[in-house]
Each structure stands twice: as structure tokens, then as C-alpha cells.
Amino acid sequence: MPSASEFALADLSMPVLVPADAADLLRYGLHAIEMSRASGLWSALKIVTNVADAASTVAVTPSWRFPTVAGGYRHRPTSRLLGAELAALEDSLHRVRLPLAVSLCAPPA
């Protein structure tokens, strides 16, 4: 069913990668996983009809490398979501994790 999820993903502060073909889908999928691990944010892939319904051949090589994370930030998840802990999580979302995801948003070629 065709739909638009841009507003929901933006409301959830999720980085979204949009692959153009099957090769991008594989590359962006790996990138989304690593970006999620680095920033502590969920990552999304928006797959349009032309990519989802396409058929193609992709050469897979082990040469793909994830860019290094500057500053060595490592997100530590917590289940404590009340008071000061929640305020600290929201602060890290807007001041650290979203800017980190934006800096990592362009996958390497």
C-alpha cells in the first residue's frame, strides 16, 4: 500500500537513507546498521517502488568500510526514563546523537 512516512520518521528523530538501486540498498543497509550502533538512534531505509520492484545483479566485495566516529562517542542505552535521566537522554539526542547521525549520513561510495 503506497504511503508517506517522512513525517512519522522525522517525529521519531530517525535518520532515513534512501537507496537508488539494489547496490545502494545493500550498502545503505550496512551503513544504517553501523550508524545506529554509533549514535544509539534507530535508522530507517525508505525503499521506493522502483527499487523494491527492480531486479538487478550486484557485485559484493569486502572492501566497504564504515567511517570512523570522531570523538569516540559511544551511546549507552538505559531503561531509566524518569526525571533527570529522561532529561539527559533528550539532551544527548539533540546535542550529540542527531548531529553524529547527520555527520555519518552520507555513506561512502
Side-chain angles (χ1 to χ4, degrees), residues 6-7 12 20 30 33 39 44 54 68 78 86 108:
E6 290 84 1
F7 292 115
L12 293 169
L30 290 172
I33 291 168
S39 66
T68 57
T78 180
L86 181 58

Side-chain angles (χ1 to χ4, degrees), residues 2 6-7 16 20 25-26 32 37 45 49 59 61 64 66 74-75 81 88 92 103 105:
E6 290 84 1
F7 292 115
V16 181
L25 184 59
L26 293 173
R37 288 179 181 166
L45 290 172
T49 304
T61 62
W64 186 85
F66 184 73
R74 177 142 174 91
H75 179 67
L81 301 176
S92 77
S103 72
C105 211

